[in-house]
Amino acid sequence: MAPSTCNNKGRPPTFVHIGGQRCGTTWMYSCLSEHPEIFMPEPKEIHYFDNNLDKGDEWYVQHFQPTESHTAWGEATPRYLHWGDDSVSVPWGQDGEPVPPRLAQLAPDCRLICCLRNPIERAYSQWRWMNYNMEDNINFEEMVAENMYDCLTMGRYADHIKRYFDFFPKNQILIQIYKDVVNNNQGAVQEAYDHLGVDSTYVPEEIGNAYNSVIFPKVQKVIDNYGLECIVKAVKSTAIGDWIRRRAQSQNRQNKYRKKISPETRKYLNDYFSEQIEEAEKLIDDDLSHWKSY
């Protein structure tokens, strides 16, 4: 597809991090935006292809204002991975049009980054996040049984990846595994830098830091809603930032919402995702056996 024609108020992205949700996108965004050769707008998630299509391509590309020092520019919206899939529910008033064809039309040479997390672990992380952000606590088993908030369909990675492979060459899509990113921060970041064609020897300050842990989520929601990421960046390198990180680690260990998944639910989830995991292994040519007996 030929790229859409846009005015000179911006340029189509050269890359997009498409998710998935609860798969470390916020941390990778921080590492990418810190690189001097990469331009990323704030807020992190523009939500053009899921929430704002009615505003048009010109509205979207105006977010990308790279300078001569930038060789790559893009954004990170985790919902893009699954948005528009037939199995995913669409909230009232939002556009459910699939992302891949629209993105390919606007930016056919765009390089994509995707991170996949064990789908059971991802659903559990989503449940914990929801419990912090919803007024009424949600039972994990009920959430799974009713596929609330698409907690299961988000993890149907094979289905989602196929849609992107239909519109983008495989060499334009970097697929990372969450566990590998956690175990080797620097290697994952260097791989992403290589993929985007920027200096991969650059080491961001975020190496070793955890992002978007389930702590002070209502504060995080205010930050997201009002585009105050600049405040986070200013605080994170201070003593207050260090305290917050220690607090996050402590609460993650003692979280009152943390619980063991029942054997029955665990079996149900393993069975549900089994075929999808096997298909994903073939699609990305990677061993995901550690996901099969969570």
Side-chain angles (χ1 to χ4, degrees):
M1 297 181 182
S4 299
T5 301
C6 300
N7 61 23
N8 59 6
K9 294 184 179 180
R11 305 173 69 177
T14 63
F15 75 91
V16 174
H17 196 308
I18 59 175
Q21 286 191 338
R22 307 305 301 167
C23 294
T25 307
T26 299
W27 178 83
M28 183 59 77
Y29 164 83
S30 297
C31 293
L32 295 177
S33 61
E34 189 180 324
H35 196 292
E37 296 176 34
I38 297 176
F39 173 85
M40 298 192 78
E42 294 183 352
K44 178 193 77 172
E45 302 176 19
I46 298 179
H47 286 288
Y48 174 55
F49 295 101
D50 54 351
N51 286 2
N52 295 296
L53 272 177
D54 59 317
K55 296 181 179 179
D57 290 348
E58 292 187 358
W59 175 86
Y60 181 55
V61 301
Q62 74 179 0
H63 289 83
F64 307 107
Q65 303 284 347
T67 67
E68 292 182 358
S69 66
H70 298 122
T71 56
W73 47 92
E75 60 130 334
T77 301
R79 279 211 302 191
Y80 289 167
L81 176 62
H82 65 271
W83 192 257
D85 189 288
D86 291 340
S87 64
V88 175
S89 60
V90 178
W92 185 87
Q94 295 187 13
D95 195 321
E97 187 172 339
V99 175
R102 287 301 302 264
L103 178 55
Q105 182 178 19
L106 176 65
D109 298 323
C110 183
R111 304 188 75 79
L112 307 180
I113 301 176
C114 171
C115 186
L116 307 180
R117 184 177 188 174
N118 181 313
I120 300 177
E121 182 182 295
R122 195 219 64 78
Y124 188 76
S125 177
Q126 180 185 2
W127 169 74
R128 290 183 60 216
W129 188 91
M130 295 301 299
N131 266 291
Y132 269 107
N133 285 273
M134 302 294 286
E135 292 183 2
D136 298 322
N137 292 340
I138 304 170
N139 180 277
F140 180 66
E141 284 69 25
E142 179 185 359
M143 183 175 177
V144 167
E146 300 183 15
N147 189 27
M148 296 173 66
Y149 306 102
D150 294 310
C151 65
L152 299 185
T153 47
M154 280 190 197
R156 296 182 64 86
Y157 300 137
D159 292 345
H160 308 326
I161 294 169
K162 285 177 185 175
R163 299 186 307 138
Y164 278 91
F165 281 172
D166 286 342
F167 291 92
F168 291 91
K170 288 187 177 182
N171 64 359
Q172 284 181 219
I173 307 177
L174 171 63
I175 298 178
Q176 299 182 310
I177 304 303
Y178 179 82
K179 183 178 180 180
D180 296 337
V181 175
V182 171
N183 291 338
N184 186 3
N185 282 183
Q186 188 164 339
V189 171
Q190 288 178 334
E191 183 181 41
Y193 288 163
D194 274 332
H195 183 62
L196 302 184
V198 299
D199 180 11
S200 62
T201 63
Y202 181 81
V203 180
E205 294 181 0
E206 295 303 326
I207 295 296
N209 289 340
Y211 250 75
N212 219 17
S213 297
V214 184
I215 179 172
F216 308 145
K218 290 183 173 59
V219 175
Q220 182 65 44
K221 179 179 277 189
V222 172
I223 289 171
D224 292 341
N225 289 342
Y226 290 93
L228 302 177
E229 285 84 354
C230 56
I231 296 178
V232 176
K233 287 188 174 182
V235 170
K236 69 183 182 182
S237 60
T238 67
I240 296 176
D242 291 337
W243 178 85
I244 291 175
R245 278 190 287 272
R246 290 195 300 271
R247 178 72 169 170
Q249 293 170 354
S250 174
Q251 286 208 4
N252 280 338
R253 287 192 296 266
Q254 303 175 24
N255 194 318
K256 67 178 180 180
Y257 293 114
R258 184 179 292 277
K259 58 170 284 186
K260 292 182 178 180
I261 301 175
S262 70
E264 296 78 14
T265 301
R266 190 184 305 273
K267 182 182 185 306
Y268 173 79
L269 290 170
N270 278 319
D271 291 343
Y272 178 89
F273 288 118
S274 176
E275 184 176 336
Q276 281 285 307
I277 292 173
E278 291 180 1
E279 288 188 46
E281 283 183 313
K282 297 174 183 176
L283 284 170
I284 68 176
D285 191 24
D286 202 347
D287 178 16
L288 301 176
S289 58
H290 55 289
W291 287 1
K292 297 177 181 178
S293 57
Y294 181 73

